[in-house]
């Protein structure tokens, strides 16, 4: 009897851990070893109280920021490929999602869009305004939409540290790195931002090993302030792991992950200034012709006052060589705001005009949720050579 | 989130307008193509009752004739959706079909909303049925805005909006405007576009755009701060803002204030006035600040009081009651048991901020060209409660 009990426990433990094995670069992280991503996996209602940003970890694990409960929910989607990317543009995505949720497009808020690079399926997180209902809607290769069943999900929920749960009320990003999950949170009282490092495996209900640290950055080499990160990606340079973050006032800065320690401040190295009046949205990196590029798109809220192009939504690519600045960079490279490109290696990307959300499919293509005269279209677009 | 719906039973107050195609019912041939706009006729039935807490409840059911083509997909027999007001297209909502013998039912994946028109079309008979259930008894939420000081520093950072119930949370800044009464112009885009609600969804932190309030940051340099000293302002919160229960504020809520000089100084506990009680009383121990402090942070464990000598490993706080005065400029501490004479330590949350984001720990912005880069203020104060007179 004891043997059966032990065997049962062993099998349960085996089943409740999500493991991935990868030999190839994945998104922005390289995973070379077998890594358990999830442990103590739950089955049932994921009970997301206010949905936000999303991204994919390997093995079809969707990382979801649950702003309402100040936690990260990792969902086993079972969506592991093969790649079947969207065949043609889907028009009126907002209207279709709204109708699928039983309302009109004014009745929803699209929180984020991401793509599973393993399958090409596109995931949109959305909230129904009238009652705060949360949903994740999938688009397949034919543009057909379906809900991700959050009521019968396999998931783990990792709360942010207890001390922060009351005040961290906006999670501006969640990303998988090679041995951890990173999240950025913003306080609803102090003007501050924290980076959380969640070690693998993400274990349901376990928040004890979460480390957090505050971020600061230096403006114009003179003024040091706390500042919230709007979006970020993990990044490796000479064997060292970094976070590259985009701040509300649009400098791009990097932080060394090894500096992340409980209750410590870390200062970012400002590497690029994109110009004022922009709110960063998404970020990713890609490699092309032996060069590494960083893509970020922004909402230019001063578009009417000083338009940069045809839309308030625009994006830029930055040669990642700019990220190699190694100290607090008093003279961070500044994009030439009056030109489409410059200095060398900083270029406005035409395909990102009107892009409200963008996500990387592979090194050749990105998925764009594009504003089309007030409607939203979903399409795949080529990345610049 | 589902819990928000779970207890409400929506009564269907209006139902069933029967639509018939102009060439419709006489031809039983299933129409599996696009659903065309139906012609509306006016008939109605008694309203059924639907419990939206049970998402498994089918909301639309049709009876299939015996000769129904078995190869037809369910969505070629029954469509349940929302008709677009512009194009008049019926877009199906997401849901699950269940076919049992001669009955086909459709259950939405998500609870249906009140005050929304839905339509079910039987594609075999080309009959359409419209559904709408109006929700009643929505309360009118109320709103209090803090801080309420008549003068705020020109680099003021944030307001707290306290609602009486959870509100619709998306893009809250769209409900907010700032009017410069001195120029009679609305201030363009003054607010940070970040949704910062508390966990219960009834308090919003509304930030002025920090890029304009922070010295040396590009927006501040290029177009200046949001507030101009000596100007009068009025914060407007739209009365159209609705709660999750569906009730709106119904009328605009405003807060008037004047912009004073910018504040770049940290709160300084050493400059606080202290009013000491005497031993064997429960009179309040009062700390009066040298400036108003942050409304919310003052109400979230801002301080801890310990009796010295404190021999506990981590320090133990006394059981006391804190009361913040309405002007956010002092805190009154009353003990659960009467004070005893002796020395006490007040430990202050180093993050406690003033109205411009300067904290005990550090100023909102630090000028790195200055020698004193991080002038942290004292984070604890020692006070001695005297014995009763004559003891």
């Amino acid at each position: 009897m004891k043997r059966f009990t032990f065997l049962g426990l062993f099998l349960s433990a085996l089943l409740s851990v999500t493991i991935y094995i990868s030999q190839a670069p994945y998104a922005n992280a390289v995973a070379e070893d077998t890594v358990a991503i999830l442990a103590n996996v739950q089955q049932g209602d994921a009970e997301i109280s206010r949905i936000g940003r999303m991204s994919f970890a390997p093995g079809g694990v969707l990382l979801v920021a649950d702003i309402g409960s100040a936690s990260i929910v990792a969902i086993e989607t079972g969506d592991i490929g093969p790649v079947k990317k969207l065949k043609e543009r889907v028009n009126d995505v907002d209207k279709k999602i709204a109708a699928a949720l039983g309302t009109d497009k004014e009745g929803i808020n699209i929180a984020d869009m991401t793509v599973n690079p393993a399958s090409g399926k596109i995931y949109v997180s959305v909230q129904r305004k009238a009652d705060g209902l949360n949903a994740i809607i999938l688009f397949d290769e034919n543009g057909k939409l379906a809900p991700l069943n959050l009521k019968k999900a396999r998931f783990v929920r990792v709360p942010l540290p207890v001390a922060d749960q009351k005040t961290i009320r906006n999670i501006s990003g969640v990303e998988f790195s090679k041995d951890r999950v990173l999240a950025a949170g913003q306080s609803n009282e102090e003007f501050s931002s924290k980076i959380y490092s969640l070690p693998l495996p993400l274990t349901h209900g376990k928040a004890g090993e979460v480390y957090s640290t505050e971020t600061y950055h230096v403006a114009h080499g003179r003024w040091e302030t706390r500042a919230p990160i709007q979006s970020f990606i993990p990044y490796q340079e000479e064997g060292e792991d970094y976070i590259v973050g985009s701040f509300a006032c649009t400098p791009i800065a990097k932080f060394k992950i090894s500096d992340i320690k409980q209750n410590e401040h870390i200062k970012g190295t400002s590497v690029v200034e994109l110009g004022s009046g922009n709110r960063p949205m998404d970020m990713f990196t890609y490699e092309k012709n032996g060069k590494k590029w960083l893509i970020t798109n922004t909402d230019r809220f001063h578009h009417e006052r000083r338009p940069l192009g045809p839309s308030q939504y625009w994006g830029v690519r930055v040669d990642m060589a700019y990220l190699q600045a190694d100290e607090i960079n008093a003279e961070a490279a500044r994009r030439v705001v009056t030109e489409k490109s410059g200095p060398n290696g900083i270029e406005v990307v035409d395909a990102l005009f009107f892009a409200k959300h963008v996500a990387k499919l592979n090194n050749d293509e990105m998925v764009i949720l594009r504003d089309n005269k007030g409607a939203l279209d979903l399409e795949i677009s080529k990345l610049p050579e | 989130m589902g819990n928000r719906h779970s207890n409400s039973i929506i009564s269907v107050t209006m139902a069933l307008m029967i639509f018939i195609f102009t060439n419709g019912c006489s031809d039983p041939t299933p129409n599996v193509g696009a659903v065309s706009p139906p012609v509306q006729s006016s008939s109605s039935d008694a309203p059924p009752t639907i419990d939206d807490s049970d998402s498994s409840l089918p909301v639309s059911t049709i009876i299939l004739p015996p000769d129904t083509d078995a190869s037809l997909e369910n969505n070629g027999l029954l469509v349940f959706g929302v008709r677009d007001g512009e194009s008049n297209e019926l877009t199906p909502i997401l849901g699950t079909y269940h076919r049992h013998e001669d009955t086909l039912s459709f259950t939405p994946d998500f609870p249906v909303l009140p005050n929304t028109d839905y339509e079910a079309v039987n594609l075999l008979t080309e009959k359409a049925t419209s559904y709408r259930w109006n929700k009643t008894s929505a309360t009118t939420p109320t709103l209090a805005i803090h801080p309420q000081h008549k003068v705020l520093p020109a680099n003021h950072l944030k307001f707290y909006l306290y609602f009486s119930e959870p509100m619709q949370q998306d893009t809250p800044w769209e409900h907010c405007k700032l009017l410069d009464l001195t120029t009679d112009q609305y201030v363009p885009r003054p607010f940070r576009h970040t949704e910062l609600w508390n966990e219960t969804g009834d308090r919003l932190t509304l930030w002025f755009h920090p890029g304009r309030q922070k010295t040396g940051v590009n927006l501040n340099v290029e177009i200046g701060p949001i507030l101009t000293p000596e100007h009068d302002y009025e914060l407007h919160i739209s009365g159209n803002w609705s709660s999750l229960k569906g009730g709106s504020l119904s009328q605009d809520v405003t807060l008037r204030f004047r912009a004073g000089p910018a504040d770049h100084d940290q709160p300084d506990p050493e400059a606080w006035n202290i009013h000491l009680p005497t031993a064997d009383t429960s009179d309040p121990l009062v700390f009066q600040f040298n400036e108003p402090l942050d409304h919310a942070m003052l109400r979230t464990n801002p301080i801890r009081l310990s009796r010295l000598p404190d021999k506990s490993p981590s320090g133990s706080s006394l059981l006391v009651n804190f009361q913040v005065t309405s002007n956010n400029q002092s805190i009154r501490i009353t003990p659960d048991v009467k004070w005893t004479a002796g020395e006490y330590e007040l430990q202050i949350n180093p993050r406690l901020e003033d109205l411009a984001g300067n904290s005990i720990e550090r100023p909102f912005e630090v000028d790195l060209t200055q020698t004193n880069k991080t002038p942290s203020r004292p984070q604890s104060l020692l006070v001695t409660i005297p014995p009763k007179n004559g003891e």
Side-chain angles (χ1 to χ4, degrees):
Chain A
M1 183 64 188
K2 278 184 179 175
R3 184 182 300 165
F4 284 118
T5 306
F6 176 78
L7 185 64
L9 284 171
F10 174 75
L11 289 173
S12 301
L14 200 64
L15 283 170
S16 69
V17 175
T18 297
I19 294 176
Y20 84 97
I21 304 172
S22 174
Q23 307 291 329
Y26 180 88
N28 297 302
V30 178
E32 292 172 351
D33 304 317
T34 301
V35 179
I37 300 179
L38 306 180
N40 191 21
V41 177
Q42 307 293 297
Q43 184 132 17
D45 191 344
E47 290 187 345
I48 292 174
S49 59
R50 180 162 172 73
I51 202 161
R53 305 298 295 265
M54 302 183 297
S55 67
F56 264 93
V61 173
L62 180 64
L63 304 171
V64 181
D66 184 3
I67 300 166
S69 66
S71 56
I72 302 300
V73 178
I75 301 171
E76 279 186 354
T77 63
D79 178 19
I80 53 173
V83 176
K84 291 180 180 176
K85 64 187 184 186
L86 188 67
K87 290 175 182 167
E88 57 185 33
R89 187 171 68 192
V90 184
N91 294 324
D92 296 323
V93 163
D94 49 346
K95 192 186 282 186
K96 285 171 179 157
I97 292 175
L101 297 179
T103 185
D104 55 26
K105 69 178 186 180
E106 284 73 31
I108 61 165
N109 177 54
I110 291 178
D112 199 13
M113 179 274 294
T114 191
V115 61
N116 183 355
S119 71
K121 281 202 177 81
I122 298 161
Y123 291 65
V124 180
S125 55
V126 61
Q127 190 169 57
R128 195 164 65 176
K129 291 182 182 178
D131 59 350
L133 176 125
N134 299 282
I136 297 174
I137 304 295
L138 283 68
F139 287 83
D140 68 10
E141 59 184 310
N142 298 311
K144 186 180 175 189
L145 74 175
L148 182 67
N149 193 339
L150 297 174
K151 295 280 184 194
K152 294 177 182 173
R154 284 178 54 79
F155 69 99
V156 304
R157 173 182 291 276
V158 179
L160 298 184
V162 173
D164 291 344
Q165 285 174 17
K166 289 281 183 194
T167 56
I168 293 297
R169 307 313 308 178
N170 186 31
I171 298 171
S172 55
V174 54
E175 295 284 344
F176 178 82
S177 186
K178 63 176 183 179
D179 57 355
R180 67 188 84 202
V181 167
L182 298 161
Q186 298 176 7
S187 167
N188 69 352
E189 291 182 355
E190 309 154 39
F191 183 65
S192 67
S193 177
K194 287 190 175 182
I195 293 173
Y196 300 91
S197 170
L198 289 61
L200 299 182
L202 297 178
T203 305
H204 184 76
K206 184 179 178 186
E209 294 177 41
V210 176
Y211 295 95
S212 65
T213 190
E214 281 188 82
T215 59
Y216 288 75
H217 83 96
V218 176
H220 301 179
R222 178 176 175 187
W223 296 97
E224 179 184 281
T225 65
R226 282 178 280 175
I229 289 178
Q230 291 294 125
S231 62
F232 73 91
I233 51 164
Y235 159 66
Q236 286 179 304
E237 178 187 305
E238 295 178 354
E240 189 76 53
D241 293 316
Y242 291 86
I243 289 170
V244 175
S246 196
F247 285 89
C249 32
T250 43
I252 294 173
K254 68 174 184 179
F255 305 85
K256 209 180 272 187
I257 287 180
S258 60
D259 288 343
I260 295 180
K261 294 184 176 66
Q262 193 87 37
N263 298 326
E264 288 205 358
H265 302 161
I266 53 172
K267 288 179 187 173
T269 302
S270 294
V271 287
V272 176
E273 295 258 5
L274 293 180
S276 65
N278 301 293
R279 178 168 172 259
M281 308 288 285
D282 305 296
M283 250 188 179
F284 65 82
T285 62
Y286 74 101
E287 271 186 78
K288 199 84 169 177
N289 305 324
K291 250 182 158 178
K292 290 182 179 174
W293 294 93
L294 170 75
I295 288 267
T296 184
N297 64 316
T298 82
D299 172 4
R300 179 167 181 72
F301 52 83
H302 282 302
H303 174 68
E304 287 182 14
R305 193 177 66 89
R306 206 174 62 195
L308 175 78
S311 167
Q312 73 186 86
Y313 303 106
W314 66 285
V316 66
R317 74 169 181 171
V318 177
D319 187 335
M320 293 193 62
Y322 277 108
L323 302 183
Q324 287 165 7
D326 51 7
E327 291 183 357
I328 296 297
N329 193 342
E331 297 299 330
R334 292 192 187 192
R335 191 182 69 80
V336 181
V337 294
T338 53
E339 303 290 337
K340 281 189 69 175
S341 63
N344 190 30
I346 302 179
E347 302 163 10
V348 171
V349 178
D350 284 345
L352 290 175
F353 280 122
F354 299 96
K356 291 188 85 167
H357 285 289
V358 58
K360 175 185 174 182
L361 177 59
N362 52 45
N363 279 321
D364 296 315
E365 295 164 308
M366 55 187 164
V367 179
I368 296 176
L369 187 62
R370 194 187 297 282
D371 177 60
N372 181 6
K373 296 175 184 169
L376 286 178
D377 298 345
L378 201 53
E379 66 183 43
I380 289 181
S381 180
K382 286 278 181 199
L383 282 161
E385 290 293 326
Chain B
M1 185 58 59
N3 290 342
R4 288 184 186 162
H5 318 282
S6 61
N7 296 324
S8 67
I9 293 177
I10 293 178
S11 66
V12 177
T13 56
M14 185 268 168
L16 303 175
M17 304 276 286
I18 305 297
F19 299 97
I20 304 172
F21 279 108
T22 48
N23 59 351
C25 295
S26 57
D27 182 1
T29 306
N31 176 4
V32 292
V35 176
S36 301
V39 175
Q40 184 175 336
S41 71
S42 57
S43 66
S44 63
D45 288 328
T49 299
I50 289 179
D51 179 352
D52 80 342
S53 67
D54 182 1
S55 60
S56 65
L57 187 74
V59 298
S60 187
T61 301
I62 59 171
I63 304 298
L64 301 172
D67 58 348
T68 301
D69 184 348
S71 65
L72 287 174
E73 297 283 339
N74 291 331
N75 60 7
L77 300 168
L78 171 64
V79 176
F80 188 95
V82 178
R83 192 169 291 282
D84 182 66
E86 292 174 11
S87 66
N88 209 23
E89 285 178 50
L90 182 67
T91 311
I93 70 173
L94 291 171
T96 307
Y97 289 96
H98 178 67
R99 198 191 289 206
H100 180 66
E101 296 179 349
D102 64 344
T103 303
L104 177 64
S105 303
F106 176 82
T107 307
D109 283 339
F110 305 103
V112 289
L113 284 171
N115 310 323
T116 302
D117 292 312
Y118 295 95
E119 189 173 314
V121 178
N122 180 340
L123 296 173
L124 292 172
T125 62
E126 297 179 349
K127 283 185 179 175
T129 305
S130 290
Y131 299 88
R132 179 185 175 89
W133 30 89
N134 294 314
K135 193 167 186 176
T136 56
S137 74
T139 54
T140 301
T142 58
L143 165 63
I145 308 171
H146 290 280
Q148 298 183 337
H149 308 291
K150 289 180 179 172
V151 178
L152 296 174
N155 56 346
H156 179 70
L157 268 187
K158 55 188 179 280
F159 296 95
Y160 294 101
L161 276 54
Y162 292 83
F163 297 92
S164 56
E165 58 187 270
M167 300 296 284
Q168 293 188 8
Q169 298 191 353
D170 298 284
T171 56
W173 49 86
E174 289 181 358
H175 302 289
C176 310
K177 288 180 180 176
L178 182 68
L179 177 63
D180 184 335
L181 294 166
T182 307
T183 62
D184 199 28
Q185 300 282 319
Y186 282 103
V187 179
R189 187 142 175 179
F191 305 113
R192 178 186 179 197
H193 283 199
T194 301
E195 296 165 13
L196 286 165
W197 291 89
N198 66 350
E199 59 185 333
T200 48
D202 54 6
R203 191 194 84 186
L204 173 75
T205 311
L206 180 67
W207 291 78
F208 278 144
H209 198 296
R212 291 180 61 183
Q213 298 297 74
K214 292 160 84 170
T215 309
V217 170
N218 39 30
L219 281 179
N220 174 274
V221 172
E222 290 178 19
I223 57 177
I226 292 160
L227 303 177
T228 304
E230 304 306 317
H231 281 215
D232 292 310
Y233 294 89
E234 201 164 68
L235 177 65
H236 286 212
I237 309 299
S238 168
N240 294 326
W241 199 341
S242 289
S243 71
L244 286 178
K245 289 180 183 170
S248 71
L249 289 171
S250 76
Q251 57 184 4
D252 289 2
V253 179
T254 60
L255 179 77
R256 188 175 284 213
F257 63 92
R258 170 167 290 190
D263 176 9
H264 297 291
D265 296 327
Q266 295 166 260
D268 185 1
E270 288 188 330
W272 293 358
N273 286 321
I274 303 170
H275 302 279
L276 292 170
T278 51
D280 291 335
T281 72
S282 294
D283 294 343
L285 168 61
V286 181
F287 293 88
Q288 191 164 5
F289 318 134
N290 55 329
E291 60 178 326
L293 300 183
D294 183 89
H295 185 273
M297 296 177 82
L298 271 177
R299 289 159 177 81
T300 317
N301 301 320
I303 56 175
R304 198 168 73 100
L305 190 68
S306 306
R307 177 77 163 86
L308 296 180
D310 183 359
K311 293 177 180 170
S312 62
S314 57
S316 58
S317 54
L318 288 172
L319 292 174
V320 291
N321 303 302
F322 298 98
Q323 185 189 5
V324 180
T325 53
S326 60
N327 63 2
N328 302 316
Q329 222 160 332
S330 62
I331 192 162
R332 296 159 58 92
I333 304 172
T334 51
D336 275 8
V337 295
K338 291 179 179 177
W339 298 109
T340 55
E343 198 167 37
Y344 292 77
E345 182 182 28
L346 183 79
Q347 291 173 304
I348 308 159
N349 176 4
R351 307 300 178 80
L352 189 56
E353 292 178 356
D354 63 20
L355 303 179
N358 305 299
S359 70
I360 307 286
E361 188 178 50
R362 54 182 286 141
F364 183 60
E365 51 205 13
V366 176
D367 185 349
L368 296 175
T369 63
Q370 301 296 310
T371 50
N372 187 11
K373 293 176 183 175
T374 54
S376 179
R377 302 293 189 201
Q379 296 174 13
S380 66
L381 292 174
L382 293 178
V383 294
T384 303
I385 293 183
K388 281 179 75 174
N389 287 341
E391 291 185 4

